Coordinates of all heavy atoms in Angstrom, one line a residue:
M7 N 5.7 0.4 -16.6 CA 6.6 -0.3 -15.7 C 7.5 -1.3 -16.4 O 7.1 -1.9 -17.4 CB 5.7 -1.0 -14.6 CG 5.0 -0.1 -13.7 SD 3.8 -0.9 -12.5 CE 4.7 -2.1 -11.7
R8 N 8.6 -1.5 -15.8 CA 9.6 -2.5 -16.4 C 9.1 -3.9 -16.1 O 8.3 -4.2 -15.2 CB 10.9 -2.3 -15.8 CG 11.5 -0.9 -16.1 CD 12.9 -0.8 -15.6 NE 13.4 0.5 -16.0 CZ 14.4 1.1 -15.5 NH1 15.0 0.5 -14.4 NH2 14.8 2.3 -15.9
P9 N 9.5 -4.9 -16.9 CA 9.1 -6.3 -16.7 C 9.4 -6.8 -15.3 O 8.6 -7.6 -14.8 CB 9.9 -7.0 -17.8 CG 10.1 -6.0 -18.9 CD 10.3 -4.7 -18.1
W10 N 10.5 -6.5 -14.8 CA 10.8 -7.0 -13.4 C 9.9 -6.5 -12.4 O 9.7 -7.1 -11.3 CB 12.3 -6.8 -13.1 CG 12.7 -5.4 -12.8 CD1 13.2 -4.5 -13.8 CD2 12.8 -4.7 -11.6 NE1 13.5 -3.3 -13.2 CE2 13.2 -3.4 -11.8 CE3 12.4 -5.1 -10.3 CZ2 13.4 -2.5 -10.8 CZ3 12.6 -4.2 -9.3 CH2 13.1 -2.9 -9.6
H11 N 9.3 -5.3 -12.6 CA 8.3 -4.7 -11.7 C 7.1 -5.7 -11.7 O 6.5 -6.0 -10.6 CB 7.9 -3.3 -12.0 CG 8.9 -2.3 -11.7 ND1 9.4 -1.4 -12.6 CD2 9.6 -2.0 -10.6 CE1 10.3 -0.6 -12.1 NE2 10.4 -1.0 -10.8
W12 N 6.7 -6.1 -12.9 CA 5.5 -6.9 -13.0 C 5.8 -8.3 -12.3 O 4.9 -8.9 -11.7 CB 5.1 -7.1 -14.4 CG 4.5 -5.8 -15.0 CD1 5.0 -5.0 -15.9 CD2 3.2 -5.3 -14.6 NE1 4.2 -3.9 -16.1 CE2 3.1 -4.1 -15.4 CE3 2.2 -5.6 -13.8 CZ2 1.9 -3.3 -15.3 CZ3 1.1 -4.8 -13.7 CH2 1.0 -3.7 -14.4
I13 N 7.0 -8.8 -12.5 CA 7.4 -10.1 -12.0 C 7.4 -10.0 -10.4 O 6.8 -10.9 -9.7 CB 8.7 -10.5 -12.5 CG1 8.7 -10.8 -14.0 CG2 9.2 -11.7 -11.7 CD1 10.0 -11.1 -14.6
A14 N 8.0 -8.9 -9.9 CA 8.0 -8.8 -8.4 C 6.6 -8.6 -7.9 O 6.2 -9.2 -6.8 CB 8.8 -7.6 -8.1
L15 N 5.7 -7.8 -8.6 CA 4.3 -7.7 -8.2 C 3.6 -9.0 -8.2 O 2.8 -9.3 -7.3 CB 3.6 -6.6 -9.1 CG 2.2 -6.2 -8.7 CD1 2.2 -5.6 -7.3 CD2 1.7 -5.3 -9.7
G16 N 3.8 -9.8 -9.2 CA 3.2 -11.1 -9.3 C 3.6 -12.1 -8.2 O 2.8 -12.8 -7.6
V17 N 4.9 -12.0 -7.8 CA 5.4 -12.9 -6.7 C 4.8 -12.4 -5.4 O 4.4 -13.3 -4.6 CB 7.0 -12.8 -6.7 CG1 7.5 -13.4 -5.4 CG2 7.6 -13.5 -7.9
V18 N 4.8 -11.1 -5.2 CA 4.2 -10.6 -3.9 C 2.7 -11.0 -3.8 O 2.2 -11.4 -2.8 CB 4.5 -9.1 -3.8 CG1 3.7 -8.6 -2.6 CG2 5.9 -8.9 -3.6
G19 N 2.0 -10.8 -4.9 CA 0.6 -11.1 -5.0 C 0.3 -12.6 -4.7 O -0.5 -13.0 -4.0
A20 N 1.1 -13.5 -5.4 CA 1.0 -14.9 -5.2 C 1.3 -15.3 -3.8 O 0.6 -16.2 -3.2 CB 1.9 -15.7 -6.2
A21 N 2.3 -14.7 -3.2 CA 2.7 -15.1 -1.8 C 1.6 -14.6 -0.9 O 1.3 -15.3 0.1 CB 4.0 -14.4 -1.5
S22 N 1.0 -13.5 -1.1 CA -0.1 -13.0 -0.3 C -1.3 -13.9 -0.3 O -1.9 -14.2 0.7 CB -0.5 -11.6 -0.7 OG -1.6 -11.1 0.0
V23 N -1.7 -14.3 -1.5 CA -2.8 -15.2 -1.7 C -2.5 -16.6 -1.0 O -3.3 -17.1 -0.3 CB -3.2 -15.4 -3.2 CG1 -4.2 -16.5 -3.4 CG2 -3.7 -14.1 -3.7
A24 N -1.3 -17.1 -1.2 CA -0.9 -18.4 -0.7 C -1.0 -18.3 0.9 O -1.4 -19.2 1.5 CB 0.5 -18.8 -1.1
L25 N -0.5 -17.2 1.4 CA -0.5 -17.1 2.9 C -1.9 -17.0 3.4 O -2.2 -17.5 4.5 CB 0.4 -15.9 3.3 CG 1.9 -16.1 3.2 CD1 2.6 -14.8 3.6 CD2 2.3 -17.2 4.2
Q26 N -2.8 -16.3 2.7 CA -4.2 -16.2 3.2 C -4.9 -17.6 3.1 O -5.7 -17.9 4.0 CB -4.9 -15.2 2.3 CG -4.6 -13.8 2.6 CD -4.9 -13.3 3.9 OE1 -6.0 -13.7 4.5 NE2 -4.1 -12.6 4.6
V27 N -4.5 -18.4 2.1 CA -5.2 -19.7 1.9 C -4.6 -20.8 2.8 O -5.3 -21.6 3.4 CB -5.2 -20.1 0.4 CG1 -5.7 -21.5 0.2 CG2 -6.0 -19.1 -0.4
L28 N -3.3 -20.8 2.9 CA -2.6 -21.9 3.5 C -2.3 -21.7 5.0 O -2.1 -22.7 5.7 CB -1.3 -22.2 2.8 CG -1.4 -22.6 1.3 CD1 0.0 -22.7 0.7 CD2 -2.2 -23.8 1.1
A29 N -2.3 -20.5 5.4 CA -2.0 -20.2 6.9 C -3.1 -20.7 7.7 O -4.3 -20.6 7.4 CB -1.7 -18.7 7.1
P30 N -2.8 -21.3 8.9 CA -3.8 -21.8 9.8 C -4.6 -20.7 10.4 O -4.0 -19.7 10.9 CB -3.1 -22.6 10.8 CG -1.7 -22.1 10.8 CD -1.4 -21.6 9.4
H31 N -5.9 -20.8 10.4 CA -6.7 -19.8 11.0 C -7.3 -20.4 12.3 O -7.8 -21.5 12.3 CB -7.9 -19.4 10.1 CG -7.4 -18.8 8.8 ND1 -6.8 -17.5 8.7 CD2 -7.4 -19.2 7.5 CE1 -6.5 -17.3 7.5 NE2 -6.9 -18.3 6.7
G32 N -7.2 -19.6 13.3 CA -7.7 -20.2 14.6 C -8.1 -19.1 15.5 O -8.1 -17.9 15.1
E33 N -8.5 -19.4 16.7 CA -9.0 -18.5 17.6 C -7.8 -18.0 18.5 O -8.1 -17.4 19.6 CB -10.1 -19.1 18.5 CG -11.4 -19.2 17.7 CD -11.9 -17.9 17.2 OE1 -11.9 -16.9 17.9 OE2 -12.4 -17.9 16.0
G34 N -6.6 -18.3 18.1 CA -5.5 -17.9 18.9 C -5.4 -16.4 18.9 O -6.0 -15.7 18.1
G35 N -4.7 -15.9 19.8 CA -4.5 -14.4 19.8 C -3.6 -14.1 21.0 O -2.9 -14.9 21.5
H36 N -3.6 -12.9 21.3 CA -2.8 -12.4 22.4 C -3.7 -11.9 23.6 O -4.9 -11.6 23.4 CB -1.9 -11.2 21.9 CG -1.1 -11.6 20.8 ND1 0.0 -12.4 20.8 CD2 -1.2 -11.3 19.5 CE1 0.5 -12.6 19.7 NE2 -0.2 -11.9 18.8
W37 N -3.1 -11.8 24.8 CA -3.9 -11.4 25.9 C -4.4 -10.0 25.8 O -5.5 -9.7 26.3 CB -3.1 -11.6 27.2 CG -1.8 -10.8 27.2 CD1 -0.6 -11.2 26.8 CD2 -1.7 -9.4 27.7 NE1 0.3 -10.2 27.0 CE2 -0.3 -9.1 27.5 CE3 -2.5 -8.5 28.2 CZ2 0.2 -7.8 27.8 CZ3 -2.1 -7.2 28.5 CH2 -0.7 -6.9 28.3
W38 N -3.7 -9.1 25.1 CA -4.2 -7.8 25.0 C -5.3 -7.6 24.0 O -5.9 -6.5 24.0 CB -3.0 -6.8 24.6 CG -2.3 -7.2 23.3 CD1 -2.8 -6.9 22.0 CD2 -1.1 -7.9 23.1 NE1 -1.9 -7.4 21.1 CE2 -0.9 -8.0 21.7 CE3 -0.2 -8.5 24.0 CZ2 0.2 -8.6 21.2 CZ3 0.9 -9.1 23.5 CH2 1.1 -9.2 22.1
D39 N -5.7 -8.6 23.2 CA -6.8 -8.5 22.4 C -8.1 -8.4 23.2 O -9.1 -8.0 22.6 CB -6.9 -9.8 21.4 CG -5.8 -9.7 20.4 OD1 -5.3 -8.6 20.1 OD2 -5.5 -10.8 19.8
A40 N -8.1 -8.8 24.4 CA -9.3 -8.8 25.2 C -9.6 -7.4 25.9 O -10.6 -7.2 26.4 CB -9.2 -9.8 26.4
I41 N -8.6 -6.5 25.7 CA -8.7 -5.2 26.3 C -9.5 -4.3 25.3 O -8.9 -4.1 24.2 CB -7.4 -4.6 26.7 CG1 -6.6 -5.5 27.7 CG2 -7.5 -3.2 27.2 CD1 -5.2 -5.1 27.9
P42 N -10.6 -3.7 25.7 CA -11.3 -2.9 24.7 C -10.6 -1.6 24.4 O -10.1 -0.9 25.4 CB -12.7 -2.6 25.4 CG -12.7 -3.5 26.6 CD -11.4 -3.9 26.9
G43 N -10.5 -1.3 23.2 CA -9.9 0.0 22.8 C -8.3 0.0 22.8 O -7.7 1.1 22.7
I44 N -7.7 -1.2 22.9 CA -6.2 -1.2 23.0 C -5.6 -0.8 21.7 O -4.6 0.0 21.8 CB -5.7 -2.6 23.5 CG1 -4.3 -2.5 23.8 CG2 -6.0 -3.6 22.4 CD1 -4.0 -1.8 25.1
Y45 N -6.2 -1.1 20.6 CA -5.6 -0.7 19.3 C -5.8 0.8 19.1 O -5.0 1.4 18.5 CB -6.1 -1.6 18.2 CG -5.6 -3.0 18.3 CD1 -6.5 -4.0 18.7 CD2 -4.3 -3.3 18.1 CE1 -6.0 -5.3 18.8 CE2 -3.8 -4.6 18.2 CZ -4.7 -5.6 18.6 OH -4.2 -6.9 18.7
A46 N -6.9 1.3 19.5 CA -7.2 2.7 19.3 C -6.2 3.5 20.2 O -5.7 4.5 19.8 CB -8.6 3.0 19.7
A47 N -6.0 3.1 21.4 CA -5.1 3.8 22.3 C -3.6 3.7 21.7 O -2.9 4.7 21.8 CB -5.1 3.1 23.7
G48 N -3.3 2.5 21.2 CA -1.9 2.4 20.6 C -1.8 3.3 19.4 O -0.7 3.9 19.2
A49 N -2.8 3.4 18.6 CA -2.8 4.2 17.4 C -2.6 5.7 17.8 O -1.9 6.5 17.2 CB -4.0 4.0 16.6
F50 N -3.4 6.1 18.9 CA -3.3 7.5 19.4 C -1.9 7.8 19.9 O -1.3 8.8 19.6 CB -4.3 7.7 20.5 CG -4.3 9.1 21.0 CD1 -4.8 10.2 20.3 CD2 -3.7 9.3 22.3 CE1 -4.7 11.5 20.8 CE2 -3.6 10.6 22.8 CZ -4.2 11.7 22.1
V51 N -1.3 6.9 20.7 CA 0.0 7.1 21.2 C 1.0 7.2 20.1 O 1.9 8.1 20.0 CB 0.4 6.0 22.2 CG1 1.9 6.1 22.6 CG2 -0.5 6.2 23.5
G52 N 0.9 6.3 19.1 CA 1.9 6.3 18.0 C 1.8 7.5 17.1 O 2.8 8.1 16.7
C53 N 0.5 8.0 16.9 CA 0.3 9.2 16.1 C 0.9 10.4 16.9 O 1.6 11.3 16.3 CB -1.1 9.4 15.8 SG -1.5 10.8 14.8
T54 N 0.7 10.4 18.2 CA 1.2 11.6 19.0 C 2.7 11.6 18.9 O 3.4 12.6 18.8 CB 0.7 11.4 20.4 OG1 -0.7 11.4 20.4 CG2 1.2 12.6 21.3
V55 N 3.4 10.4 19.1 CA 4.8 10.3 19.0 C 5.3 10.8 17.6 O 6.3 11.5 17.6 CB 5.3 8.9 19.3 CG1 6.7 8.7 19.0 CG2 5.0 8.6 20.8
L56 N 4.7 10.4 16.6 CA 5.1 10.8 15.2 C 5.0 12.3 15.1 O 5.9 12.9 14.5 CB 4.2 10.1 14.2 CG 4.6 8.7 13.8 CD1 3.6 8.1 12.9 CD2 6.0 8.6 13.2
V57 N 3.9 12.9 15.5 CA 3.7 14.3 15.4 C 4.7 15.1 16.2 O 5.4 16.0 15.7 CB 2.2 14.7 15.7 CG1 2.1 16.2 15.9 CG2 1.3 14.2 14.7
L58 N 4.9 14.7 17.5 CA 5.8 15.4 18.3 C 7.3 15.2 17.8 O 8.1 16.1 17.9 CB 5.7 15.0 19.8 CG 4.3 15.4 20.4 CD1 4.3 14.8 21.8 CD2 4.1 16.9 20.4
G59 N 7.6 14.0 17.4 CA 8.9 13.7 16.8 C 9.2 14.6 15.6 O 10.3 15.1 15.4
A60 N 8.2 14.7 14.7 CA 8.4 15.5 13.5 C 8.6 17.0 13.8 O 9.4 17.7 13.2 CB 7.2 15.3 12.5
K61 N 7.8 17.4 14.8 CA 7.9 18.8 15.3 C 9.3 19.1 15.8 O 10.0 20.1 15.5 CB 6.9 19.1 16.3 CG 6.8 20.5 16.7 CD 5.6 20.7 17.6 CE 5.5 22.2 18.0 NZ 4.4 22.5 18.9
W62 N 9.8 18.1 16.6 CA 11.1 18.3 17.2 C 12.2 18.3 16.1 O 13.1 19.1 16.2 CB 11.4 17.2 18.2 CG 12.7 17.3 18.9 CD1 13.0 18.1 20.0 CD2 14.0 16.8 18.5 NE1 14.3 18.0 20.4 CE2 15.0 17.2 19.4 CE3 14.3 15.9 17.5 CZ2 16.3 16.8 19.3 CZ3 15.7 15.5 17.4 CH2 16.6 16.0 18.3
L63 N 12.1 17.3 15.2 CA 13.1 17.3 14.1 C 13.1 18.5 13.3 O 14.1 19.1 12.9 CB 12.8 16.1 13.2 CG 13.3 14.7 13.8 CD1 12.8 13.6 12.9 CD2 14.8 14.7 14.0
G64 N 11.9 19.0 13.0 CA 11.8 20.3 12.2 C 12.4 21.5 12.9 O 13.0 22.3 12.3
K65 N 12.2 21.5 14.2 CA 12.7 22.6 15.0 C 14.2 22.6 15.1 O 14.9 23.6 15.0 CB 12.1 22.6 16.4 CG 12.7 23.7 17.3 CD 11.5 24.5 17.8 CE 12.1 25.6 18.8 NZ 11.8 26.9 18.4
H66 N 14.8 21.4 15.2 CA 16.2 21.3 15.5 C 17.1 21.0 14.2 O 18.3 21.3 14.2 CB 16.5 20.2 16.5 CG 16.1 20.6 17.9 ND1 14.8 20.4 18.3 CD2 16.7 21.2 18.9 CE1 14.7 20.9 19.5 NE2 15.9 21.3 19.9
L67 N 16.5 20.5 13.2 CA 17.2 20.2 12.0 C 16.9 21.1 10.8 O 17.8 21.3 9.9 CB 17.0 18.7 11.6 CG 17.5 17.7 12.6 CD1 17.2 16.3 12.1 CD2 19.0 17.8 12.8
V68 N 15.7 21.5 10.7 CA 15.3 22.3 9.5 C 15.2 23.8 9.7 O 15.7 24.5 8.9 CB 13.9 21.8 9.0 CG1 13.4 22.5 7.8 CG2 14.0 20.3 8.7
Q69 N 14.7 24.2 10.8 CA 14.5 25.6 11.1 C 15.9 26.3 11.2 O 16.7 25.8 11.9 CB 13.6 25.8 12.3 CG 13.2 27.2 12.5 CD 12.2 27.3 13.7 OE1 12.0 26.4 14.4 NE2 11.6 28.5 13.8
R70 N 16.0 27.5 10.6 CA 17.2 28.2 10.7 C 17.0 29.5 11.6 O 15.9 30.0 11.7 CB 17.7 28.7 9.3 CG 18.0 27.5 8.4 CD 19.3 26.9 8.9 NE 19.6 25.7 8.1 CZ 20.0 24.6 8.6 NH1 20.1 24.4 9.9 NH2 20.3 23.5 7.8
P71 N 18.0 30.0 12.2 CA 17.8 31.2 13.0 C 17.4 32.4 12.2 O 17.6 32.5 10.9 CB 19.2 31.5 13.6 CG 20.1 30.5 13.1 CD 19.4 29.6 12.2
Q72 N 16.8 33.4 12.8 CA 16.3 34.5 12.1 C 17.5 35.3 11.6 O 18.5 35.5 12.2 CB 15.5 35.4 13.1 CG 14.8 36.5 12.4 CD 13.8 37.2 13.4 OE1 13.8 36.9 14.5 NE2 13.0 38.1 12.8
G73 N 17.4 35.7 10.3 CA 18.5 36.5 9.7 C 19.5 35.5 9.0 O 20.5 36.0 8.5
Y74 N 19.2 34.3 9.0 CA 20.1 33.3 8.4 C 20.3 33.5 6.9 O 21.4 33.4 6.3 CB 19.6 31.9 8.6 CG 20.5 30.8 8.0 CD1 21.6 30.4 8.7 CD2 20.2 30.1 6.8 CE1 22.4 29.4 8.2 CE2 20.9 29.1 6.3 CZ 22.1 28.8 7.0 OH 22.9 27.8 6.5
Y75 N 19.2 33.9 6.2 CA 19.2 34.1 4.7 C 19.5 35.5 4.3 O 19.4 35.9 3.2 CB 17.9 33.5 4.1 CG 17.8 32.0 4.2 CD1 16.9 31.5 5.1 CD2 18.6 31.2 3.5 CE1 16.8 30.1 5.3 CE2 18.5 29.8 3.6 CZ 17.6 29.3 4.5 OH 17.5 28.0 4.6
R76 N 19.7 36.4 5.3 CA 20.0 37.8 5.0 C 21.3 38.0 4.2 O 22.3 37.4 4.5 CB 20.0 38.6 6.3 CG 20.0 40.1 6.0 CD 19.9 40.9 7.3 NE 20.3 40.0 8.4 CZ 20.4 40.5 9.7 NH1 20.1 41.7 10.0 NH2 20.7 39.7 10.6
V77 N 21.2 38.8 3.2 CA 22.4 39.1 2.4 C 23.2 40.1 3.1 O 22.7 41.2 3.5 CB 22.0 39.6 1.0 CG1 23.2 39.9 0.1 CG2 21.1 38.5 0.3
P78 N 24.5 39.8 3.3 CA 25.3 40.8 4.0 C 25.6 42.1 3.3 O 25.5 42.2 2.1 CB 26.6 40.1 4.3 CG 26.6 38.9 3.4 CD 25.2 38.7 2.9

């Protein structure tokens, strides 16, 4: 790795440690944290959207009609 990669990695690591140590920790949160399974449901919906979106993009942008590569 180049020296600037190591410098950037050090800066990001130091910032991460500083934020973990200096950031206030409390019992604050959001109202949706009280709903059981909300993060699992959100992950399922997000994964489904990603899969269906990738399928749609593949069908409309990547897939070619039959006979597209046939030599005339």
Side-chain angles (χ1 to χ4, degrees):
M7 287 175 55
R8 295 184 178 161
W10 68 272
H11 286 127
W12 289 109
I13 293 170
L15 186 63
V17 169
V18 169
S22 176
V23 169
L25 286 174
Q26 289 293 322
V27 172
L28 299 175
H31 299 289
E33 289 300 318
H36 305 286
W37 59 267
W38 58 80
D39 288 339
I41 302 172
I44 190 72
Y45 291 109
F50 178 76
V51 169
C53 185
T54 303
V55 167
L56 280 173
V57 168
L58 294 177
K61 188 175 181 179
W62 183 86
L63 284 174
K65 177 120 176 125
H66 289 86
L67 296 178
V68 177
Q69 191 175 8
R70 298 288 177 225
Q72 191 170 5
Y74 180 80
Y75 294 106
R76 188 175 19 179
V77 178

